[in-house]
Amino acid sequence: MTKHSRLSRRGLLKKGAVVGAAAVAVAGAKAPAHGEAPADAQAPAVVTNRLFKAWISRGTGRNRTTLQDVRLRPPTGRQVVVRTEATNLCYSNSALVLGLQDPPPATGAGPAGNALAAGTTNMALIQGHGGVGIVEAVGPEVRRVQIGDRVCVSGTPQCGSCYHCLRGRADVCQLLGRNLPTDFVPIAEMRDGTPVYANSHIGGLAELMVTFEEWVVPIVSKAPAVDLGMVLGCVSVAGLGATTSGTLAQVLPGSSVAVVGCGPLGLSAVQGARIAGASTIIAIDPVKARRDVASKVGATHVLDPNAESNVIEKVRSLTAGPTSRAWSGGRDAGGRRIGAGADLVVEAAGVELATPRVERGPDPTGILPVQQAYEMASSGGDVITTGLIRGTITLPAFLFAIGGVSHHGGQAGGANPMRDIPRFVEMLHSGRYDTKAMVTRTVPLADMLGAYEEVIYRQVVTTIMTA
Ligand SMILES: [Zn+2]
Ligand SMILES: [Zn+2]
């Protein structure tokens, strides 16, 4: 037993920050080819005095995010330094980046607080949800990746040894919750010595992402960075995870899928449903431009929830199948509910962080779309929720108790990063996942802030930042 093996997970995360760089090699050392590295560890490569540009969010109000030159701290332990190639400007981060919302206090922060960077107001934090890039340096304990590897810095970690990972639920890996201010370690310093931290141990809105090896997935691909940044963004992984990972529910060929909310997550779920072979794919979104993209990437029907007098009944009628006759393969619920309902419903609407400058949905809290999603599902069907919503959900008790609908509140759509992310790359390589229809805008690092304005007001589908 080494001293390290007795440390808690939280201790291991913190250790990366406090252990000195005892063994320092020259940065840029030739990377061994795949398969040449020893099985246990590799020589550390530490970049010293490296300056890089990073968007730092700190304080409150509209000007809380500024572009700064910061100095990289030497990576230690299981830290990995990744040169950012591309990252998606995730909607869930937008209010914190733009200062339209301040981080909540740390006290009482539960899982929702984690997602909102509770208690980080006065920390110099690089926001962002991971991305795609090239490994520049690794700490001495890193085994998963090597210098020069192209990697996805995943929004979801996979340690591979916690209870959740071991039972096939890496989407809720124990490390996911290690996301409070006390868990963070400094990765860089500002000019005045202020320590800089990375949101969720990943960051993204910077030239470098400094993370831990549990958050990186090696990808072997020569695809353009923007395409990889799209298909491997947190939202796309969740949409494809919900429909193709099989962790939470199965999409069988010929089945029916409804997707409520068609931002990049919902549109990725539409694509995943198509890739999985669903025959009826119903995309529901108030924004016409998003419904148009849904039609391009695989939806067989698109619905405007503001225009439909009863969107639940509409979905149930579209999924009724060729017959409702008894003894002949009828699909309805025996008359209690009209029509059949979708075999799988993916909720991807989420909460409204600012009033959109395009068509608004029926409920800014995101609660109504969840209720509707539940009632759109077939008896015996599944509902996967993915949106970040607030409030309390009310459902018809009879339906909830014995209606036969199974709800899955997974994270990242149940995607298992090390297993599924390489598959998503293959979906890109084979042309099955369409990035072109999804990326509405590409911007360089310097233009991030203005581009995020368009994201929060829902004037784009996806914006990819390149660094
Ligand atoms: Zn995200
Ligand atoms: Zn784990």
Side-chain angles (χ1 to χ4, degrees):
M1 292 283 281
T2 66
K3 185 177 73 172
H4 299 161
S5 63
R6 290 195 300 273
L7 290 172
S8 67
R9 273 285 162 194
R10 177 173 293 198
L12 280 171
L13 289 179
K14 295 182 80 65
K15 187 168 81 68
V18 296
V19 173
V24 177
V26 178
K30 182 181 176 295
H34 280 283
E36 290 181 5
D40 51 355
Q42 57 189 299
V46 175
V47 182
T48 54
N49 293 322
R50 165 87 142 86
L51 281 171
F52 66 101
K53 290 192 184 304
W55 286 97
I56 304 291
S57 299
R58 190 186 190 193
T60 60
R62 269 300 231 168
N63 300 316
R64 74 184 301 264
T65 301
T66 55
L67 189 59
Q68 306 274 345
D69 287 316
V70 300
R71 191 175 299 281
L72 179 70
R73 284 198 176 186
T76 62
R78 296 164 6 272
Q79 284 185 308
V80 180
V81 180
V82 178
R83 175 169 53 78
T84 308
E85 289 187 287
T87 183
N88 77 303
L89 301 188
C90 180
Y91 181 81
S92 65
N93 242 189
S94 58
L96 286 168
V97 170
L98 295 172
L100 292 173
Q101 178 186 321
D102 297 327
T107 49
N114 290 346
L116 293 169
T120 60
T121 300
N122 296 315
M123 298 175 84
L125 198 65
I126 301 172
Q127 291 286 346
H129 279 188
V132 169
I134 307 293
V135 174
E136 281 211 351
V138 294
E141 297 171 15
V142 171
R143 292 180 298 180
R144 192 178 286 187
V145 293
Q146 302 171 4
I147 295 164
D149 281 354
R150 207 172 198 188
V151 296
C152 168
V153 179
S154 169
T156 303
Q158 181 173 9
C159 75
S161 58
C162 73
Y163 176 67
H164 309 294
C165 282
L166 290 170
R167 67 168 171 169
R169 288 301 303 268
D171 62 303
V172 286
C173 171
Q174 185 182 34
L175 293 188
L176 184 71
R178 299 290 194 268
N179 196 20
L180 291 170
T182 47
D183 298 311
F184 289 147
V185 297
I187 60 162
E189 288 167 9
M190 294 171 70
R191 285 186 188 283
D192 63 0
T194 303
V196 173
Y197 303 86
N199 171 48
S200 306
H201 307 290
I202 50 180
L205 304 181
E207 289 176 329
L208 296 179
M209 294 181 276
V210 183
T211 183
F212 291 92
E213 70 172 328
E214 289 82 0
W215 275 263
V216 294
V217 178
I219 52 173
V220 181
S221 175
K222 293 190 165 83
V226 171
D227 290 345
L228 286 168
M230 180 68 240
V231 73
L232 299 183
C234 52
V235 283
S236 320
V237 166
L240 290 173
T243 45
T244 71
S245 76
T247 306
L248 304 177
Q250 292 274 352
V251 177
L252 295 177
S255 62
S256 56
V257 176
V259 178
V260 183
C262 290
L265 200 161
L267 289 168
S268 294
V270 167
Q271 297 215 43
R274 167 177 50 75
I275 293 164
S279 290
T280 302
I281 303 171
I282 305 165
I284 303 159
D285 197 281
V287 183
K288 181 176 183 304
R290 296 184 170 199
R291 294 197 302 275
D292 290 346
V293 176
S295 294
K296 271 190 204 148
V297 299
T300 56
H301 304 78
V302 293
L303 300 179
D304 177 355
N306 295 325
E308 297 297 332
S309 58
N310 188 327
V311 72
I312 299 166
E313 282 185 18
K314 182 72 177 183
V315 170
R316 299 189 70 82
S317 68
L318 287 171
T319 52
T323 180
S324 60
R325 275 170 43 199
W327 302 287
S328 304
R331 295 168 58 108
D332 66 17
R336 283 191 289 109
R337 291 190 288 160
I338 299 164
D343 295 315
L344 170 67
V345 185
V346 178
E347 177 279 326
V351 73
E352 201 175 84
L353 297 172
T355 304
R357 291 181 182 156
V358 291
E359 302 92 326
R360 293 189 77 178
D363 178 9
T365 70
I367 296 292
L368 180 64
V370 172
Q371 293 168 324
Q372 292 175 330
Y374 197 86
E375 295 197 57
M376 285 171 193
S378 164
S379 297
D382 296 281
V383 177
I384 295 174
T385 46
T386 70
L388 300 176
I389 54 173
R390 301 170 194 161
T392 303
I393 296 166
T394 305
L395 293 170
F398 190 83
L399 172 65
F400 176 76
I402 62 165
V405 175
S406 299
H407 168 247
H408 311 273
Q411 202 279 130
N416 177 324
M418 286 292 284
R419 179 193 66 192
D420 293 333
I421 282 176
R423 289 196 310 105
F424 300 159
V425 173
E426 291 308 316
M427 291 178 189
L428 174 71
H429 288 167
S430 64
R432 288 182 171 82
Y433 185 91
D434 179 355
T435 58
K436 301 291 182 278
M438 305 281 288
V439 180
T440 317
R441 186 141 187 241
T442 307
V443 295
L445 179 81
D447 294 342
M448 183 282 295
L449 214 49
Y452 240 133
E453 296 273 342
E454 296 173 339
V455 171
I456 199 166
Y457 295 118
R458 294 197 158 139
Q459 293 161 300
V460 287
V461 173
T462 314
T463 297
I464 301 290
M465 187 199 86
T466 55

